[in-house]
Amino acid sequence: MSDPAPADGQPGIPAASNPRPADEATEAPPVNLWDRMRRDPQYAPEHLALEAVRRLGPEAARWVRQARVEQPAATAESLAEQAVRRFVNQARLSGAVSGAAGLPGAVLDVGVLAWTQARMVLHIAAAYGADPAHPDRATDLLVLQKVHKVAASARLALGVAAGRERAGALFGGGGQTTIGRAMLRLGVRLAQMAGVRAAKRIFAKVVPGAAIILGTWANSSATKNLAERSRAHYRQHGHPHIPAPRRSPEDDDQSA
């Protein structure tokens, strides 16, 4: 497995909420990621996946190392279950973090949910022995979250998004669409990443009262479904299926 992807290291940008040490991941997408996604909503899931691996991958690696020291008898399955419980509980609460109404609040909610889900997937990967900071995890995120159907298209889109990040750093982020249209496109793309039911949040939060019905249930349901897909995917990584040796006719004769 190759070395982890380097962090982008953009200085002087505060965290999305309370300030945190540079090596500690935030509970919500950082401000510089929101800026990139707002400027480039078409590739918002790819930007989020790249940033999640950079920021949350090392955190997941530290977590699994510490867990194995504190719980030497723990299996990969039990560690993955711990991660799922932790982040499903966080997902239930993620819809209330913004405190904002209307479309901006809905976009913030699904962005936090997508970030929480990415964090969970990377912790599950670490539990099963996959390097959570490896660039391949960004591809995994996009396929597991059903943004792309296959890894090849996910890798292509990630390459495009990474190129646009570099171009934005050089040329000041490029053109800006109208704020309302950009927010709507961003919300739809993030909702797609966070799960089909999460898309209802975009519309439910704009309609007073509807979000109360769809809130925590939609978040936890989408996150549980993602957890099941992630565990099935990374279980193969940690415990590859080795077929039993084929029996020869001589073996059958000897056992008869």
Side-chain angles (χ1 to χ4, degrees):
M1 198 66 80
S2 62
D3 293 335
D8 61 357
Q10 296 187 24
I13 299 177
S17 52
N18 295 328
R20 292 171 176 266
D23 62 345
E24 185 177 349
T26 58
E27 298 293 334
V31 170
N32 61 336
L33 172 59
W34 280 116
D35 290 341
R36 285 199 301 271
M37 293 193 299
R38 189 173 61 250
R39 289 194 300 262
D40 194 19
Q42 179 182 355
Y43 287 94
E46 288 78 12
H47 290 303
L48 190 147
L50 289 167
E51 189 71 16
V53 172
R54 285 192 289 253
R55 287 181 178 257
L56 305 180
E59 177 204 53
R62 290 192 297 271
W63 166 77
V64 80
R65 285 196 299 267
Q66 186 64 29
R68 286 172 178 156
V69 169
E70 296 175 352
Q71 308 169 55
T75 64
E77 292 292 335
S78 65
L79 292 175
E81 182 61 31
Q82 291 173 33
V84 171
R85 285 199 303 268
R86 172 185 170 188
F87 292 108
V88 168
N89 287 336
Q90 285 191 16
R92 289 193 181 103
L93 301 174
S94 66
V97 296
S98 70
L103 181 59
V107 173
L108 287 171
D109 286 353
V110 293
V112 171
L113 177 58
W115 185 254
T116 300
Q117 289 179 345
R119 201 174 196 175
M120 178 189 71
V121 172
L122 294 173
H123 278 67
I124 292 173
Y128 285 109
D131 180 0
H134 191 277
D136 284 350
R137 299 294 81 78
T139 302
D140 294 345
L141 282 171
L142 294 176
V143 175
L144 289 168
Q145 292 180 289
K146 297 185 176 182
V147 177
H148 294 277
K149 292 182 179 180
V150 295
S153 62
R155 280 192 290 268
L156 179 62
L158 285 166
V160 172
R164 290 159 82 97
E165 285 184 15
R166 289 190 291 270
L170 288 172
F171 303 113
Q176 177 68 281
T177 59
T178 61
I179 293 177
R181 193 172 73 183
M183 287 292 285
L184 182 59
R185 291 179 63 191
L186 175 57
V188 170
R189 293 293 286 157
L190 289 176
Q192 178 189 5
M193 187 177 195
V196 174
R197 290 187 179 89
K200 298 178 182 178
R201 301 294 304 282
I202 291 291
F203 305 101
K205 192 151 187 175
V206 179
V207 179
I212 298 174
I213 301 172
L214 294 170
T216 59
W217 179 85
N219 284 8
S220 61
S221 177
T223 307
K224 286 178 182 178
N225 290 339
L226 174 61
E228 291 177 4
R229 295 194 299 273
S230 301
R231 294 183 73 169
H233 176 77
Y234 289 115
R235 192 176 286 122
Q236 300 173 9
H237 184 281
H239 304 281
H241 175 68
I242 302 175
R246 299 187 57 163
R247 295 175 61 89
S248 66
E250 290 80 5
D251 293 333
D252 295 333
D253 292 340
Q254 292 176 6
S255 62

